Amino acid sequence: MNSFKIKYNGQFRTEAKHLESGQIINTDAPKDNQGKGEYFSPTDLICVALTSCMLTIIAISTKKYNINLSGTSAIVTKKMQSNPRMISDINIVLTFKENYEGKLRTIIRRTALNCPVFRSLSSKVNKKVEFKYPS
């Protein structure tokens, strides 16, 4: 079990500390919701957590095939809705440096779509994931 300490710093900003490592993440409300947008917003962190989880879990699941995912990258975009204000869409494009065979592509896809963060998000959030491989 991990523990975190989160402190509100005023001006719609927080500081979150990972108690085991001491690492700190600062957040800021987005510009469209009274913030300055100078740090990740809490909803940005959901998108970052989802994408980071996918990449990490894919690396774990493909390790036994001696796949090195270093250099794999992703672009994630989010769309917010109002009434209620929430994330409505998360779009992720995972770009791989190698063109893997069919079996590995299947493993990669299934693993990504079953990562813990993906499974934890509400079904009300539309999640689209694209897998790009070089030709």
Side-chain angles (χ1 to χ4, degrees), residues 110-124:
R110 284 184 184 159
T111 302
L113 300 180
N114 283 291
C115 85
V117 177
F118 192 94
R119 289 191 318 229
S120 298
L121 291 174
S122 168
S123 61
K124 294 178 182 179

Side-chain angles (χ1 to χ4, degrees), residues 4 6 16-18 22 37 46 50 111:
F4 317 95
I6 295 92
K17 183 176 185 178
H18 186 269
I46 290 172
L50 173 58
T111 302

Side-chain angles (χ1 to χ4, degrees), residues 1-13:
M1 180 166 45
N2 290 324
S3 297
F4 317 95
K5 181 177 181 180
I6 295 92
K7 179 174 72 172
Y8 179 70
N9 289 332
Q11 298 184 332
F12 314 118
R13 293 179 171 188

Side-chain angles (χ1 to χ4, degrees), residues 80-110:
M80 297 293 291
Q81 72 176 36
S82 53
N83 298 323
R85 184 167 172 84
M86 64 178 273
I87 299 169
S88 62
D89 298 271
I90 301 174
N91 296 307
I92 300 169
V93 178
L94 296 169
T95 303
F96 297 86
K97 293 185 76 170
E98 292 186 38
N99 191 3
Y100 303 111
E101 57 160 298
K103 178 184 176 182
L104 284 173
R105 285 187 183 199
T106 300
I107 291 167
I108 288 168
R109 180 177 182 73
R110 284 184 184 159

Side-chain angles (χ1 to χ4, degrees), residues 10 14 32-33 36-38 51 63 65 67 88-89 94 103 106 108 112 117 119 125 128 131:
T14 68
D32 69 348
N33 198 25
K36 295 181 182 179
E38 293 178 346
T51 309
K63 181 181 177 185
Y65 299 100
I67 303 278
S88 62
D89 298 271
L94 296 169
K103 178 184 176 182
T106 300
I108 288 168
V117 177
R119 289 191 318 229
V125 177
K128 180 182 172 195
F131 300 83

